[in-house]
Amino acid sequence: MAGTLEWISATALEYRITLMLVLAVTVMVYFMTRKRYKLPPGPRGLLLLGNILAIQNKSLFRMLIQLEKKYGPVITLNLGPIRTVFLNNLEVVQEAYVGKSVDFAGRPQTFSGLAFTEGGKDIAFTDYGPTWQLHRKLALRALKHYMKGERFQDTITEVMEAVTVEMGTETGLFDIYSYINPRHLQHHQFSSDNEEFLNVCKALDIFSQETGNGFAEDVFPPLRLYPTAKFRKFMKLNDEMLDFMYKRINAHRETFIADAQRDFTDAMLIAQKEAEEEEDQELLEQITNTHLGQTVSDVFGAGLDTSRQTLYWTVQYLAAYPEVQAKLHAEVDRVLGERRVPMLSERHKLPYTEAVLYESMRKGTVAPLSLPHSTTCDTTVAGYEIPKGTMVFANIFAIHHDPRHWKEPEVFNPERFLDDSGRFAPKSESWMPFSVGKRACMAEALAKPELHVVLASLHEVF
Ligand code: HEM
């Protein structure tokens, strides 16, 4: 018996030693054959947590401007286990997003992103690939169609006339924010389902205000089995928003008339119907009802918050700089006379108004780090190697405040966008509130004239 026990423990010992040897060799082979990258530098982080604690409760985009002095324009920070690269000046953003546009055109496929977009079926959070290309193309076509027709002008005139009349009834001091909030502006278009629309706006508000530092589930995978209260709350809000979108799409489908395209939703329905008629199964699988709901929701969500923040900044700067306010007022009075709302075609006659908007977008920078990108292959920037699948951010705030490109960047000065004769003469390269490259905002051509009309129409209250 004793001999048998000795034999068993000797065999177990041999087994353990063999296992340890195999493990040691595997680890050695892994480290010896693992591809080594010359990664961009950055502050050393903690084990597992990386740099997460260092950036808590700080404006990361401002902190990066400080870090750039030590590490240069391309910086690596580890957000938990997620390696993240930040591009902090114009040259490196141009090199990456424009010069190597496909390499940097991905979107990180996070757990939360996939959950909110029903498996990546929208535009903004979908990874680079044929489905994203198709949806962006369809959405762009729809936006162009909307802008070409009279509906764009008619809608914006109708809304702004109603809003300015309402503002005119105010006596004494009043809260201008409640009027320039696109929630209020869009309420006129959504009056039929007003209450539901306002609920969706509230949900969107919570989304943009409370998402904050993202979701722990993205960084610590075990949490996905038992999601946090925050994640569950956001999933519920997301479902409510999508429900609203699906209802709108169904209502549009029921009242759809082929040659009377009313809006963006109709344009997406046309694309779906064309694929059905052509019996193009592959295409149909990429334009399902889920894709439509997600795209409409994207366009609604992406536009609402950015436009609102831009108007908020503009009003704050006008309050802080009365001399700018007076010039804007004088220009609009001169061009509009008795009218309240300008025509879109009159934009060129209001260069100072345009310059105020551009300067607000520069100084305010509503999307300071833009949206995250992801590398679609192993690539390089500024001589550093960036592995495939790395999360990348462009620090647009830093570019908008770079003294190499902007004289006295902290000063609000619309004149920097005008030439000596007062004509609008924007800087093209270092002004990029809509970002640049393949993933740049899809709606710059819509947002700029729209905001211009809104701002000019508000002149009566200044
Ligand atoms: C002042 C207004 C706006 C600003 C400053 C703005 C800014 C941005 C920025 C910085 C991005 C991320 C670009 C990147 O990842 O590099 C973006 C993406 C996007 N924006 Fe806008 N945006 C505005 C208005 C709008 C409007 C009105 C719409 C819809 C009608 C819209 C739809 C989108 C979409 C769909 C994307 C995702 C594009 C993609 O991933 O391919 N945006 N926007």
Side-chain angles (χ1 to χ4, degrees):
M1 185 67 182
T4 314
L5 281 175
E6 268 166 30
W7 180 81
I8 289 175
S9 58
T11 315
L13 188 68
E14 269 172 32
Y15 176 73
R16 264 185 255 151
I17 291 171
T18 315
L19 195 68
M20 279 166 66
L21 272 172
V22 169
L23 266 174
V25 170
T26 313
V27 170
M28 264 171 59
V29 169
Y30 170 74
F31 277 107
M32 283 165 66
T33 56
R34 186 180 65 146
K35 188 163 177 197
R36 283 174 193 282
Y37 292 94
K38 187 188 158 208
L39 296 168
R44 194 180 276 275
L46 300 169
L47 191 72
L48 296 178
L49 291 175
N51 306 98
I52 274 193
L53 295 182
I55 63 172
Q56 285 288 310
N57 308 320
K58 300 218 174 90
S59 299
L60 185 53
F61 50 93
R62 286 187 196 279
M63 189 179 147
L64 285 160
I65 295 177
Q66 296 309 317
L67 289 176
E68 187 186 347
K69 291 179 188 149
K70 180 167 180 196
Y71 297 103
V74 189
I75 297 170
T76 304
L77 292 178
N78 290 305
L79 311 179
I82 304 174
R83 180 190 298 130
T84 311
V85 167
F86 293 87
L87 308 172
N88 288 288
N89 72 19
L90 177 66
E91 291 76 8
V92 290
V93 169
Q94 290 281 4
E95 181 190 337
Y97 285 13
V98 180
K100 294 170 185 165
S101 60
V102 173
D103 296 9
F104 286 85
R107 288 278 190 228
Q109 296 303 287
T110 59
F111 175 75
S112 61
L114 287 170
F116 296 142
T117 60
E118 299 173 278
K121 294 196 171 62
D122 73 331
I123 300 175
F125 293 96
T126 297
D127 208 355
Y128 181 74
T131 308
W132 166 79
Q133 265 163 333
L134 173 75
H135 283 278
R136 189 164 160 124
K137 202 172 93 188
L138 292 177
L140 274 171
R141 197 174 76 180
L143 282 182
K144 273 193 194 135
H145 191 280
Y146 172 66
M147 288 174 64
K148 228 174 36 198
E150 283 163 14
R151 209 171 156 86
F152 185 35
Q153 176 74 65
D154 292 350
T155 310
I156 196 160
T157 308
E158 193 186 315
V159 169
M160 285 320 295
E161 273 180 354
V163 170
T164 47
V165 166
E166 257 180 74
M167 276 197 286
T169 62
E170 294 276 4
T171 48
L173 284 177
F174 68 96
D175 174 14
I176 193 172
Y177 289 139
S178 60
Y179 289 101
I180 60 168
N181 190 337
R183 170 201 291 188
H184 184 96
L185 302 179
Q186 293 202 12
H187 138 106
H188 293 270
Q189 295 172 60
F190 284 84
S191 48
S192 53
D193 29 32
N194 192 359
E195 199 178 326
E196 242 187 317
F197 172 67
L198 289 179
N199 285 339
V200 170
C201 288
K202 271 188 215 146
L204 203 70
D205 279 352
I206 302 176
F207 243 95
S208 49
Q209 284 157 17
E210 295 182 23
T211 323
N213 295 333
F215 297 93
E217 284 77 1
D218 291 332
V219 180
F220 302 109
L223 285 176
R224 294 170 196 176
L225 295 173
Y226 305 100
T228 54
K230 177 178 171 184
F231 185 78
R232 281 184 273 124
K233 175 180 165 184
F234 277 78
M235 273 310 280
K236 190 165 167 283
L237 290 172
N238 195 56
D239 287 348
E240 281 166 19
M241 286 199 282
L242 286 175
D243 252 16
F244 175 77
M245 298 305 157
Y246 289 127
K247 273 193 202 154
R248 277 190 68 75
I249 290 173
N250 287 339
H252 267 62
R253 204 187 293 282
E254 278 162 24
T255 50
F256 178 79
I257 301 170
D259 42 7
Q261 187 178 321
R262 291 162 293 186
D263 54 15
F264 184 80
T265 309
D266 269 357
M268 295 305 292
L269 283 173
I270 289 173
Q272 195 182 43
K273 282 179 193 297
E274 278 171 3
E276 274 164 9
E277 275 158 23
E278 283 165 25
E279 294 180 7
D280 188 334
Q281 206 47 42
E282 205 183 324
L283 195 59
L284 269 175
E285 278 167 22
Q286 296 177 64
I287 321 182
T288 62
N289 286 347
T290 316
H291 286 103
L292 292 200
Q294 284 287 347
T295 301
V296 174
S297 163
D298 246 16
V299 166
F300 176 77
L304 196 70
D305 208 42
T306 43
S307 304
R308 168 175 51 189
Q309 292 299 340
T310 302
L311 288 171
Y312 280 7
W313 277 118
T314 310
V315 168
Q316 293 199 18
Y317 290 131
L318 288 175
Y321 292 82
E323 66 288 1
V324 174
Q325 196 181 127
K327 279 191 193 169
L328 176 96
H329 204 308
E331 179 181 81
V332 183
D333 269 353
R334 185 167 36 78
V335 175
L336 288 197
E338 293 298 301
R339 287 178 298 143
R340 287 173 187 274
V341 183
M343 300 297 286
L344 290 159
S345 57
E346 288 174 306
R347 194 165 154 207
H348 68 284
K349 294 186 192 162
L350 297 160
Y352 194 75
T353 311
E354 184 90 77
V356 169
L357 200 58
Y358 263 60
E359 178 66 342
S360 303
M361 288 183 158
R362 178 196 72 81
K363 190 150 160 47
T365 312
V366 297
L369 289 173
S370 184
L371 288 178
H373 285 219
S374 163
T375 42
T376 55
C377 55
D378 280 5
T379 184
T380 57
V381 64
Y384 295 111
E385 292 171 325
I386 317 285
K388 179 179 177 181
T390 303
M391 180 144 83
V392 180
F393 283 94
N395 191 349
I396 295 180
F397 181 89
I399 295 170
H400 281 174
H401 290 80
D402 188 337
R404 291 181 306 139
H405 301 289
W406 305 98
K407 196 174 158 212
E408 297 182 304
E410 290 311 320
V411 176
F412 183 79
N413 173 20
E415 258 88 8
R416 62 172 98 239
F417 290 102
L418 300 173
D419 66 14
D420 293 342
S421 356
R423 275 189 303 253
F424 186 59
K427 286 203 165 207
S428 53
E429 275 198 339
S430 42
W431 186 83
M432 53 168 81
F434 298 93
S435 186
V436 285
K438 286 224 175 289
R439 297 304 293 237
C441 179
M442 206 184 70
E444 178 172 350
L446 172 102
K448 286 196 299 195
E450 197 170 60
L451 288 167
H452 186 262
V453 170
V454 173
L455 180 60
S457 311
L458 292 174
H459 77 289
E460 285 194 53
V461 294
F462 297 141

